[in-house]
Amino acid sequence: MPSATSTAMPCPSPFQATAGTWSTTALSASAAFWFLATVIGQLVFAAYIVALYGGHAARGHFQGWNTVMTHGHVPGDGIGNLATGVHLLLAAVIMLGGALQLVPQVRRRAPRLHRWNGRIYLAGAVLAAVSGLYMLWWRGAVGDMVQHLGISLNAVLVLLFAGLALKNAVRRDIAAHRRWALRLFLAVSGVWFFRVGLMFWLAVNGGPAGFDPATFTGPALGILAFAQYLLPLAVLEAYLRCRDGGGPMLRLGMAAVLALLTVAMGAGIAVAAIGMWLPRMHG
């Protein structure tokens, strides 16, 4: 006689089991595809920061910071120049450290490295957010008020996510800690997503569209100032829900969406690297 449990919970058919396996594999593969593209793009960006800004600093030619960045170095503004230098250094450090934190093999085989790198990453993210806010509102930056508000919200989210990631790590709630750490990684990467998204937008439209390149203002840039972190965060939430509780069709759909977004991001990375980062590494 069948038990109550077997009656209430029938075994899945071979087709359902196969679909579930394929959908889980597809979703994992699309996430790995995204991660690989992101790591490559961020490593190139970090190398660009070190080569351009670090190279000028090593030669004592701090005016070279103004090659790309407005108000990168202002003679006589010691505090502002220090804040800019710290921000640039931290940008390179957290680009490298953030990717390392997400590698599962590092978490499993080198937990001490993971913990110490995490502490450095959290501290760097907080300092980068604070120095970025100072540079934006007191140092001066291109763009209009909408862009400044979008960037400021990004910095606030970095501070919030860093605090929640640390709180859950201290409480040993590892699952919650990892979710907040993922959100922190995406928020910290906002400045990188902005550049990649802008390059993709320029490539698709064959040049500036929806903004004035002379003043660096316009609705397209205003939208991108918020989308640079809100879009990745929304995709992450959808991914987590599909991974943890979605059916096979939802997981397959999420895998397809993530793969398409990764292709678009990869195009933006390629355009940014070829047209902006690599040519300036010898500056």
Side-chain angles (χ1 to χ4, degrees):
M1 180 176 181
S3 65
T5 301
S6 64
T7 303
M9 299 179 63
C11 294
S13 67
F15 174 78
Q16 290 174 320
T18 302
T21 301
W22 273 103
S23 64
T24 300
T25 302
L27 187 58
S28 297
S30 65
F33 178 40
W34 175 87
F35 179 67
L36 178 62
T38 301
V39 169
I40 292 173
Q42 293 198 352
L43 287 177
V44 176
F45 184 57
Y48 156 76
I49 293 173
V50 172
L52 178 61
Y53 297 100
H56 282 300
R59 296 191 297 271
H61 182 236
F62 290 97
Q63 285 296 324
W65 287 5
N66 299 324
T67 303
V68 178
M69 181 186 302
T70 60
H71 306 95
H73 183 272
V74 179
D77 185 6
I79 295 178
N81 293 333
L82 177 62
T84 302
V86 169
H87 186 80
L88 291 169
L89 175 63
L90 291 173
V93 170
I94 62 182
M95 284 288 134
L96 299 173
L100 186 62
Q101 281 301 97
L102 299 183
V103 178
Q105 291 80 0
V106 174
R107 293 198 301 267
R108 290 195 299 264
R109 301 176 184 176
R112 181 173 297 181
L113 172 61
H114 177 75
R115 287 193 295 270
W116 276 105
N117 185 59
R119 294 184 182 110
I120 294 172
Y121 182 75
L122 280 175
V126 169
L127 289 174
V130 172
S131 61
L133 286 172
Y134 171 82
M135 292 165 58
L136 178 66
W137 293 104
W138 284 276
R139 181 78 158 175
V142 297
D144 54 20
M145 183 60 67
V146 174
Q147 294 177 57
H148 293 175
L149 291 175
I151 296 170
S152 297
L153 178 58
N154 190 6
V156 171
L157 289 179
V158 167
L159 298 176
L160 175 63
F161 295 163
L164 290 170
L166 177 61
K167 176 183 176 180
N168 284 283
V170 172
R171 294 171 58 183
R172 296 293 190 269
D173 188 345
I174 302 303
H177 165 69
R178 287 178 179 172
R179 288 193 297 270
W180 287 113
L182 285 171
R183 295 176 183 121
L184 174 62
F185 175 79
L186 294 180
V188 168
S189 301
V191 63
W192 180 80
F193 282 124
F194 183 93
R195 284 158 175 76
V196 171
L198 178 59
M199 292 300 105
F200 175 75
W201 180 254
L202 292 173
V204 168
N205 290 281
F211 72 96
D212 182 358
T215 61
F216 209 67
T217 59
L221 297 179
I223 293 172
L224 186 56
F226 287 91
Q228 63 179 336
Y229 53 92
L230 294 181
L231 178 58
L233 287 171
V235 173
L236 172 64
E237 296 306 316
Y239 165 78
L240 292 175
R241 289 177 181 272
C242 290
R243 184 197 67 181
D244 298 337
M249 294 306 297
L250 280 176
R251 287 197 293 269
L252 286 173
M254 187 69 235
V257 169
L258 192 54
L260 287 174
L261 290 174
T262 304
V263 170
M265 185 182 71
I269 292 171
V271 175
I274 296 172
M276 183 167 56
W277 298 336
L278 296 177
R280 290 171 174 154
M281 284 189 182
H282 302 288

